[in-house]
Amino acid sequence: MPHPSALNETGLTEAEAARRLQQLGPNELARPERRSAWGLLKETLSEPMFQLLLGAGVIYLFLGDVGEAVVLLGFVVLSLSISLIQSSRTERVLEALRDLSSPRALVIRDGAARRIAGREVVEGDVIVISEGDRVPADAHLLAAHDLQTDESLLTGEAVPVRKVAGIRATQTIQPGGDDLPWVFAGTLVVRGQGTAEVIATGSRSQMGRIGTALGSIEPEATELQHQTRQWVRWFAVVGVTLSLVVTLLYWWQRGEVLASVLAGITLAMSLLPQEFPLIMSVFMAMGAWRMAQHRVLVRRAIAIEALGAATVLCTDKTGTLTQNNMTIAQLVVPGQQWHRGQSVLPECFHTLLECGLLASQRDPFDPMEKAFWVTADRHLVGAEQVHLHPDWELARAYPLRPELLAMSHVWHEPGGVRHVIAAKGAPEAVMDLCHLSAQACEPWRQQVEALAQQGMRVLAVARSQGPIEHRPNEPWPDLQHDFDFEFLGLVGLVDPLRESVPDAVKTCRDAGIRVAMITGDYPITALAIAQQAGIDTRAGALRGDELNGLSEAELRQRVRDVCVFARVMPDQKLRIVRALQGLGEVVAMTGDGVNDAPSLKAADIGVAMGGARHRCGP
């Protein structure tokens, strides 16, 4: 139900909004201090390999061996230049991507709607959101009409979630799940409209909390860095000790101070393996450069070493293993089934697909409705263009409601008073609309369960039994139940696996790298996708609510065997990565959403996936 104050809400006054903006700060994430050229140079020179190489070059120069010194120092300059260019390039790209955020917002102030910059939204503002908008801040819904949002940015779920207005509850406010009265900053409205009161902005929002957690994570040194530092210390101690011994013995035997010092330095230089740091530093820098040619940005060259040491690869599902693009995988009508791989759609499925289109938006944002149109464009074109009905007009829409998870569209046929009604929604809801008996429902329920076991999202489709004559001035029924519907069949939708994934997973396993999937999606869907990808599912899936009840020691024990983690929130992803590291694993983490950011940074190798670029770094 709409919030009681939604009917006469006037919003904040401009003066109050200005006061809150001054008090709470702008609605944006804290901008981290950008690394300067000097900072990048200092960070690169802090690596022991560069220090050892630079020290060797200086000593050779001091001894007068200019040729050897020039070669060593030349390679130092080359490696530093490559690292600095690559790092600064990465910083510029990340800064440009960050500037793409901060959407504009429609707010109600002094009783009037006005469009403002997203950074000017304050807590207490009443915002108006509609299909296609990016939510500017965390907010509590005051009113909602058929509202759905895509929260995959925060949860990893591939399918939009329904939103309802309601009174404020005492439950924990977090994204994910249907029929909740909260919308969150950065999420996309894919259907409907609503008004909401802002409850958190900037760093206090769910996205802001992820940013805060991200800032508190300090990247740890890689195994090669630990080994190199120990190696440098060992050679330093041995070299200095032997050099002092030789210097003292030479001076004791011959009494020549300068000759003694030169003899000690010569021995130290003979013990210095300058070729090793030279090779490692140059190859790391060249590796980062080569990866950049394949549109992979490496923030720190030392990450190249970590890539070869990984023992566990943790991957997100949506957008990483899958295409993040819902597709109709199966159609079911009485006695027959059609699968996506079939090139021809038989005539008996045309009515099912046609009514699925009629129950969808003409220009949808909802990924499942987009899937209907993609399939129709492929199979209902040319001679079957009649099934698309471009000239029909929408006369009435019945949206999804918590008590009935089905929607209906009433369409007017041109040139008369005839109307056709199409419905789609949750199978149990559509069966209820069609008034099917328990005996008639049972075969369909078994079919729904079989599709769900394959990781599909299942919708049912129905239509009115014959065109309805309706006069322009007559009111339409208030409830969908008042229409006489005929059950047509089921539609199974899936976010398809990327074609290259099974081979990639097999390659990792052959190389001794264990692959684990961490997702915000449901366990059944997660296990189905994991099986298709070749990920080990013998230990089942560990759910986020189960994970919350485990101590750190218990979690470490569970992650030894479990390779599928479902309904997992961002802080839980971070716990999983830490637990694996606690077992001595070198963890690589891939992901493409804000929800993956803390675990990406905490992992030994974090790979941020993107449509145009990837970023790799420890």
Side-chain angles (χ1 to χ4, degrees):
M1 296 180 58
H3 191 279
S5 63
L7 299 179
N8 57 4
E9 188 67 61
T10 60
L12 298 176
T13 64
E14 288 292 347
E16 177 62 17
R19 187 189 70 79
R20 295 190 183 191
L21 183 64
Q22 179 69 26
Q23 178 184 2
L24 300 174
N27 177 36
E28 60 184 6
L29 302 183
R31 191 175 293 267
E33 183 178 350
R34 183 175 178 179
R35 297 189 297 176
S36 62
W38 168 248
L40 293 172
L41 179 63
K42 184 178 178 181
E43 179 181 309
T44 304
L45 287 175
S46 67
E47 299 295 336
M49 291 184 295
F50 279 107
Q51 294 175 353
L52 188 60
L53 198 60
L54 189 61
V58 171
I59 292 175
Y60 273 118
L61 191 62
F62 175 75
L63 293 176
D65 192 342
V66 177
E68 191 77 19
V70 168
V71 171
L72 289 176
L73 294 178
F75 276 109
V76 169
V77 172
L78 175 64
S79 300
L80 281 175
S81 299
I82 293 175
S83 297
L84 286 174
I85 292 172
Q86 183 62 30
S87 297
S88 61
R89 228 177 114 190
T90 303
E91 291 297 319
R92 287 196 303 270
V93 171
L94 295 177
E95 190 70 18
L97 289 175
R98 192 187 189 292
D99 290 339
L100 294 177
S101 57
S102 186
R104 293 183 63 80
L106 182 63
V107 301
I108 299 176
R109 289 186 180 171
D110 292 321
R114 55 170 300 202
R115 187 76 63 175
I116 63 172
R119 69 187 306 275
E120 297 176 7
V121 173
V122 297
E123 294 180 15
D125 259 328
V126 174
I127 58 174
V128 180
I129 52 177
S130 58
E131 189 173 292
D133 287 343
R134 188 74 66 175
V135 180
D138 290 4
H140 168 251
L141 281 168
L142 304 175
H145 176 74
D146 194 20
L147 185 64
Q148 293 184 20
T149 63
D150 177 0
E151 296 181 350
S152 59
L153 190 71
L154 298 175
T155 66
E157 291 186 39
V159 178
V161 291
R162 297 185 304 273
K163 296 295 179 179
V164 296
I167 60 173
R168 292 199 185 186
T170 57
Q171 67 212 53
T172 302
I173 302 174
Q174 63 180 26
D178 289 314
D179 302 327
L180 296 176
W182 318 103
V183 290
F184 300 94
T187 60
L188 180 67
V189 179
V190 298
R191 179 192 291 278
Q193 307 86 32
T195 58
E197 180 183 352
V198 174
I199 57 175
T201 60
S203 61
R204 295 171 295 280
S205 66
Q206 290 290 327
M207 187 179 291
R209 291 175 187 175
I210 293 175
T212 301
L214 196 62
S216 65
I217 299 173
E218 290 297 331
E220 298 181 358
T222 66
E223 185 62 26
L224 180 60
Q225 287 177 307
H226 286 302
Q227 293 175 358
T228 304
R229 287 165 186 168
Q230 293 174 356
W231 181 54
V232 169
R233 292 191 196 101
W234 187 83
F235 270 103
V237 170
V238 172
V240 171
T241 301
L242 291 178
S243 179
L244 288 174
V245 169
V246 168
T247 300
L248 292 174
L249 287 175
Y250 200 99
W251 174 72
W252 178 60
Q253 288 184 348
R254 302 193 180 184
E256 299 178 10
V257 177
L258 181 59
S260 301
V261 172
L262 290 176
I265 292 176
T266 301
L267 177 62
M269 290 301 300
S270 67
L271 294 174
L272 186 67
Q274 63 268 25
E275 293 85 0
F276 289 170
L278 174 63
I279 292 171
M280 285 191 291
S281 60
V282 171
F283 271 74
M284 294 296 180
M286 293 303 296
W289 184 268
R290 184 174 180 181
M291 290 179 73
Q293 309 310 306
H294 297 279
R295 300 191 300 179
V296 179
L297 298 176
V298 182
R299 295 196 73 184
R300 300 170 66 195
I302 199 66
I304 304 300
E305 170 268 329
L307 287 172
T311 59
V312 177
L313 171 61
C314 296
T315 175
D316 184 33
K317 179 184 74 68
T318 305
T320 304
L321 295 181
T322 65
Q323 300 175 15
N324 196 19
N325 181 24
M326 296 299 289
T327 300
I328 292 180
Q330 197 162 333
L331 298 175
V332 182
V333 297
Q336 297 191 61
Q337 297 183 9
W338 174 85
H339 298 272
R340 181 181 46 169
Q342 299 174 230
S343 58
V344 177
L345 182 70
E347 179 70 30
C348 60
F349 295 97
H350 287 192
T351 301
L352 174 63
L353 184 56
E354 173 190 7
C355 290
L357 286 177
L358 291 175
S360 304
Q361 300 290 335
R362 289 286 194 191
D363 186 18
F365 279 86
D366 188 321
M368 289 193 288
E369 293 193 347
K370 287 181 178 179
F372 276 92
W373 282 102
V374 170
T375 304
D377 287 341
R378 188 174 301 154
H379 296 286
L380 298 183
V381 294
E384 299 297 338
Q385 187 75 23
V386 63
H387 287 293
L388 303 183
H389 305 295
D391 56 339
W392 285 16
E393 296 180 1
L394 183 64
R396 173 70 188 267
Y398 294 87
L400 287 167
R401 296 189 182 279
E403 63 274 12
L404 182 64
L405 300 179
M407 59 184 299
S408 299
H409 284 174
V410 180
W411 292 94
H412 174 236
E413 296 184 29
V417 293
R418 290 157 55 92
H419 293 75
V420 173
I421 306 170
K424 77 174 191 305
E428 61 276 10
V430 176
M431 292 178 203
D432 184 34
L433 280 179
C434 296
H435 306 292
L436 297 185
S437 65
Q439 183 178 1
C441 287
E442 187 56 31
W444 290 114
R445 288 198 180 101
Q446 293 177 5
Q447 189 65 58
V448 168
E449 185 175 347
L451 295 176
Q453 290 293 335
Q454 299 175 52
M456 296 187 194
R457 305 280 179 166
V458 185
L459 297 177
V461 178
R463 69 173 177 185
S464 58
Q465 295 185 4
I468 298 173
E469 292 192 2
H470 184 273
R471 301 298 173 184
N473 295 327
E474 294 178 8
W476 287 102
D478 293 330
L479 302 175
Q480 301 177 61
H481 273 292
D482 294 341
F483 296 107
D484 188 14
F485 283 106
E486 172 192 3
F487 193 89
L488 296 179
L490 301 174
V491 179
L493 299 106
V494 67
D495 183 8
L497 197 70
R498 295 182 186 273
E499 293 182 1
S500 60
V501 166
D503 288 340
V505 171
K506 184 179 183 300
T507 301
C508 288
R509 296 178 67 173
D510 291 344
I513 301 174
R514 174 184 162 206
V515 181
M517 183 174 73
I518 307 176
T519 178
D521 217 328
Y522 294 92
I524 291 178
T525 305
L527 287 170
I529 292 296
Q531 289 176 341
Q532 294 174 32
I535 297 172
D536 188 357
T537 59
R538 289 174 295 178
L542 178 62
R543 299 192 312 272
D545 55 354
E546 293 179 287
L547 191 150
N548 281 337
L550 299 177
S551 65
E552 296 304 321
E554 291 171 332
L555 180 58
R556 281 196 294 270
Q557 188 62 33
R558 291 294 302 276
V559 299
R560 289 180 186 273
D561 303 312
V562 176
C563 292
V564 179
F565 302 87
R567 302 302 289 167
V568 171
M569 300 303 293
D571 58 327
Q572 295 169 335
K573 289 187 178 186
L574 181 58
R575 283 191 66 195
I576 292 169
V577 170
R578 293 298 195 198
L580 288 168
Q581 290 173 327
L583 295 173
E585 305 281 7
V586 179
V587 182
M589 177 78 191
T590 70
D592 66 343
V594 173
N595 61 306
D596 300 312
S599 51
L600 285 175
K601 187 173 182 180
D604 300 287
I605 309 150
V607 184
M609 312 291 289
R613 290 179 171 85
H614 308 304
R615 179 171 58 85
C616 174

